[in-house]
Amino acid sequence: MPATVTPITPRRSSEPARTPPPRARRPFRDNPRLILAGIGALVVALVAILAVANRTPRFSPDFLAEVVLYALSAADLTMLAALVFVLARNIVKLVIERRRARPFAQFRGKLVALLLGMTLGPAVLVLAVGSELIRTSVERWFNAPMDEILTSANQIASDYYHERQMLVSDQASRIARTLSGADLTSRDVRPIRDLVAPDVTLQRVQMVEVYRIGPASGALPRLEPVVDVAAPALPPGYSRAAADRLAAQALAGSSETRSIETLGTSGDLLHAAAVIRTKDGRAKGVVVATDYLTGDLAARSRRMTQAFENYNQLRVLKRPLTGVYLSFFLMVTLMILVGAIWMGLYLAKRITRPVQMLAAAAREIGAGRLDQRIEPQSNDEFGSLTEAFNAMARELASGRRKVDRSTIELERKHREVEGRRRYIETILERITTGVVSVDATGAITTINGAAGRLLSLDRTIVGQPARAVFDRADLRPLGALVAGAGRAKAEPAVQEIALPREGQELHLAVVAPALEGESGAPEGVLLVLDDVTPLIRAQKVAAWREVARRLAHEIKNPLTPIQLSAERLRRHFADAPPGARALVEECTSTIVGEVESLKGLVDEFSQFARMPSPRTVPTDLHQLIADTLALYEGIFTDVRIEHRFGADVPLVRLDSEQVRRVIINLVDNAIEATERRGHIVVETQRDAANNIVRVFVADDGPGIPPVEREKLFLPYYSTKRRGSGLGLAIVRRIIAEHGGSIDVGDNVPRGTRFTIELPC
């Protein structure tokens, strides 16, 4: 029995139970009731064909040849067309399914071919043998001896009847001649009876009727019966009507003066009429003689005649009758073929369809659609297989739901862990502290951007052994620290390590704690790096500020007495001889000049030590720079100062006086670096993403070596032949107190480029 695949929508446990879907309707051509009805119709059709075949001898020739034969031919052609259509359709369908590699297409093709061969071969053989048998039988029915026998028998019957009719006719003529002299108008009919009675008595005839011509009735004469003499053997039920009609015909001059009257099973009466004429030839009456043939003799004669007529009729219908029987036989054969082929195709489909649907449902389940179910429609092995398949599908669906729930939970936890991981990675990427993690095997597992920037490493080192990575000359102190972290028992202490970077010294505060799991087993080492270079620099600046403050205090106190003493000496020796006065003037001028220089140095020390806090207000940076650069117009003829301002630079909160001093200091340094013959560019840019404004001061001088760039901003360090070395230190302090930063680098193609970053 076929099975129907019914998809069932999976539902969650919290949803209310749903009514099961209705059973899929069985295809019309697969309905067992329809098949049983078709078988019944086939049986009825066969019975009807047999009934029609048995009634063919009773059909008229025209009806048999024109109606029955044509109807059977049309039915045969229709059934043959239906058979060819069904076969062609199913063969084409099987070929297409086989080319498309449909499941069980080859098996169905072989099964249909086997059933078709088992049906078509015997049916064609039976049709050929039966057709030949029908043709042979018909030929035997209409052979030459049978024609001669039936023709002779019919001729004998005809001759016998003709001879008896001629005898009766002769007797009627003789009696008419005898009565030609008799008086038929007399009321005494005994003479007439005496004349005709001997013929009846001697059984020449069985009955004699004499008519006379009465008064005319209209245009025709009227006959009146005169006398009738009948033999005792005449059967009852005789009627004068036939004799009266025959007498009237004879009197009227008709050539039909003989007739046969059938009395059913009693026999036949042979009538013959003769006109009674006078000597002058005038008709005066009519005599009718009748002879009797018994029932057996008449029946035999009629049967011979009927057999001959039937034989002639069948002989005329020889070809139509052969065609009718052949059509009957062909129709039965075609009906058997159609039924057998239909049943064969139906059985092939019924056998392969459940397995095909099981295979299709198995493929659906293999594709992940576990809601496939097959509706069982039988209690046989296919039904058991369907139930087992549905049970398997239910178990798989239940397992899939459990797996889905577990997967959803795992995905949720994975998303949480992934979010936490991304959060931690984001924090690690955003913090300025460098972090490097090493697992228990000694391989680097994590390095954030700050660590890579501080150690000049990239992320390609992840997965490499830490020993090989930290084997670089400048990183060996870190390698030793990581190697010793796993063996240390106490809490690790923070160590300061100095690393050379591009001619500068990078100070790092490093700590390497060991990582332990929940069970206390070592899982690796975490290396934490913090850049303390600005702190060291600030400490140095603070120390220099303290030195400057104390130097200013210690130096400034004796300068005034020294200057006053030198001036008193100059005034005291004003009246001295010229030689002495010149010497004193020279010495006191030197003393006063140097004291003034020391006072200027002390003023710079004091300013560096006690820099006032900036008073920031929103300021147009471009206007401030333009006003500052205007101070240099016309002073240095060989120096070209150019400004390039960004278009979207907003107002910046700053102290105008302090920032002006920064620009003047940087421009003065650039002029000195180019030896007052060069090109200086002051440029501004806005970094909207970081909300800062950059100011660039670039020159095309000889530049500054990388090893000296970090020292430029330290107090009392200068590359010029004169100066205190506090200018760039004061610049850095001003920029730092504005919340910005300053850096120095190479200019392209040559020279030095200072970069100032100020918050908007």
Side-chain angles (χ1 to χ4, degrees), residues 211-233:
Y211 298 87
R212 64 185 176 189
I213 299 176
S217 177
L220 296 176
R222 184 171 62 86
L223 292 177
E224 296 178 351
V226 177
V227 67
D228 55 354
V229 179

Side-chain angles (χ1 to χ4, degrees), residues 398-431:
S398 177
R400 170 61 67 84
R401 286 193 292 270
K402 293 179 182 178
V403 171
D404 289 342
R405 286 194 293 268
S406 300
T407 302
I408 292 173
E409 185 66 21
L410 287 176
E411 288 179 353
R412 184 184 63 80
K413 293 182 178 179
H414 175 70
R415 285 194 297 269
E416 292 179 357
V417 173
E418 187 67 18
R420 194 174 299 123
R421 183 187 64 81
R422 287 196 297 268
Y423 178 72
I424 294 174
E425 287 183 353
T426 302
I427 293 176
L428 289 176
E429 288 298 324
R430 292 295 184 268
I431 62 175

Side-chain angles (χ1 to χ4, degrees), residues 120-272:
L120 191 60
V124 172
L125 181 61
V126 171
L127 178 62
V129 174
S131 301
E132 185 64 27
L133 181 61
I134 289 174
R135 284 194 296 270
T136 304
S137 299
V138 171
E139 291 294 335
R140 289 179 180 177
W141 292 346
F142 299 100
N143 53 13
M146 183 61 67
D147 290 346
E148 295 177 358
I149 291 172
L150 291 178
T151 302
S152 300
N154 183 63
Q155 188 66 36
I156 291 172
S158 299
D159 292 345
Y160 178 73
Y161 267 76
H162 182 70
E163 182 180 358
R164 292 297 296 267
Q165 282 185 323
M166 292 301 296
L167 289 176
V168 173
S169 180
D170 291 341
Q171 291 297 328
S173 298
R174 186 182 60 78
I175 294 172
R177 288 193 300 272
T178 302
L179 294 177
S180 63
D183 185 9
L184 299 179
T185 60
S186 175
R187 293 184 177 180
D188 188 9
V189 296
R190 285 181 295 177
I192 299 174
R193 184 182 299 274
D194 293 339
L195 290 176
V196 300
D199 293 318
V200 175
T201 303
L202 296 176
Q203 293 186 352
R204 293 188 184 95
V205 293
Q206 297 297 320
M207 183 176 180
V208 177
E209 294 176 292
V210 179
Y211 298 87
R212 64 185 176 189
I213 299 176
S217 177
L220 296 176
R222 184 171 62 86
L223 292 177
E224 296 178 351
V226 177
V227 67
D228 55 354
V229 179
L234 194 66
Y238 168 72
S239 175
R240 294 174 56 96
D244 292 344
R245 288 193 300 272
L246 187 62
Q249 291 178 3
L251 182 62
S254 174
S255 61
E256 294 294 333
T257 59
R258 295 187 296 270
S259 67
I260 300 174
E261 181 181 0
T262 301
L263 300 178
T265 59
S266 299
D268 292 336
L269 295 178
L270 305 179
H271 300 287

Side-chain angles (χ1 to χ4, degrees), residues 4-8 370-375 389-390 393-394 397:
T4 304
V5 177
T6 304
I8 300 176
L370 302 181
D371 56 347
Q372 297 294 324
R373 300 291 185 273
I374 301 178
E375 187 72 22
F389 179 84
N390 290 337
R394 284 192 294 270

Side-chain angles (χ1 to χ4, degrees), residues 294-600:
T294 62
D296 294 338
L297 183 60
R300 292 190 190 96
S301 179
R302 282 195 300 272
R303 284 197 296 271
M304 286 189 294
T305 303
Q306 185 67 32
F308 180 73
E309 292 177 355
N310 292 338
Y311 178 77
N312 286 333
Q313 181 178 355
L314 291 176
R315 187 174 183 180
V316 172
L317 298 177
K318 176 181 178 182
R319 293 178 64 83
L321 191 62
T322 304
V324 167
Y325 280 105
L326 288 177
S327 299
F328 281 148
F329 197 79
L330 179 61
M331 180 179 292
V332 174
T333 303
L334 290 176
M335 292 181 68
I336 294 174
L337 279 176
V338 170
I341 291 173
W342 184 25
M343 289 299 297
L345 296 173
Y346 174 75
L347 290 176
K349 184 182 294 184
R350 302 283 279 193
I351 291 173
T352 59
R353 186 176 179 183
V355 182
Q356 184 176 357
M357 298 186 74
L358 283 172
R363 286 194 298 271
E364 293 292 327
I365 290 179
R369 292 181 282 274
L370 302 181
D371 56 347
Q372 297 294 324
R373 300 291 185 273
I374 301 178
E375 187 72 22
Q377 296 184 357
S378 64
N379 296 324
D380 54 4
E381 288 77 5
F382 283 115
S384 301
L385 183 61
T386 302
E387 290 294 339
F389 179 84
N390 290 337
M392 178 197 69
R394 284 192 294 270
E395 291 296 330
L396 288 176
S398 177
R400 170 61 67 84
R401 286 193 292 270
K402 293 179 182 178
V403 171
D404 289 342
R405 286 194 293 268
S406 300
T407 302
I408 292 173
E409 185 66 21
L410 287 176
E411 288 179 353
R412 184 184 63 80
K413 293 182 178 179
H414 175 70
R415 285 194 297 269
E416 292 179 357
V417 173
E418 187 67 18
R420 194 174 299 123
R421 183 187 64 81
R422 287 196 297 268
Y423 178 72
I424 294 174
E425 287 183 353
T426 302
I427 293 176
L428 289 176
E429 288 298 324
R430 292 295 184 268
I431 62 175
T432 59
T433 301
V435 178
V436 180
S437 62
V438 182
D439 61 10
T441 62
I444 295 177
T445 57
T446 303
I447 179 170
N448 66 345
R453 186 171 58 255
L454 294 174
L455 303 181
S456 298
L457 298 174
D458 53 20
R459 296 185 183 275
T460 58
I461 66 169
V462 175
Q464 298 181 9
R467 180 179 300 176
V469 173
F470 294 127
D471 192 45
R472 206 170 65 189
D474 57 336
L475 301 181
R476 286 175 182 172
L478 297 177
L481 188 62
V482 171
R487 297 188 296 269
K489 301 298 183 181
E491 289 293 330
V494 180
Q495 300 183 22
E496 183 178 340
I497 298 177
L499 301 179
R501 284 291 178 270
E502 298 179 355
Q504 302 177 12
E505 197 172 52
L506 183 65
H507 296 271
L508 301 177
V510 184
V511 62
L515 299 177
E516 294 182 356
E518 295 180 356
S519 61
E523 294 185 356
V525 177
L526 184 66
L527 186 64
V528 182
L529 311 169
D530 198 0
D531 185 7
V532 295
T533 303
L535 179 60
I536 299 299
R537 187 184 301 135
Q539 290 176 354
K540 291 181 179 180
V541 171
W544 280 110
R545 287 173 61 187
E546 182 64 22
V547 171
R549 186 182 62 81
R550 293 187 179 185
L551 283 175
H553 178 72
E554 295 297 333
I555 295 174
K556 191 174 184 179
N557 289 332
L559 288 180
T560 301
I562 293 174
Q563 186 177 5
L564 293 176
S565 298
E567 291 178 352
R568 287 180 63 188
L569 287 174
R570 181 184 299 173
R571 288 193 303 269
H572 179 73
F573 287 99
D575 297 332
R581 187 174 62 247
L583 178 62
V584 171
E585 184 69 25
E586 181 182 356
C587 291
T588 56
S589 297
T590 301
I591 292 172
V592 172
E594 293 301 327
V595 168
E596 290 295 334
S597 299
L598 286 176
K599 282 184 178 181

Side-chain angles (χ1 to χ4, degrees), residues 34 87 204 416 485 625 674 702:
L34 176 63
L87 281 177
R204 293 188 184 95
E416 292 179 357
I625 295 174
T674 59

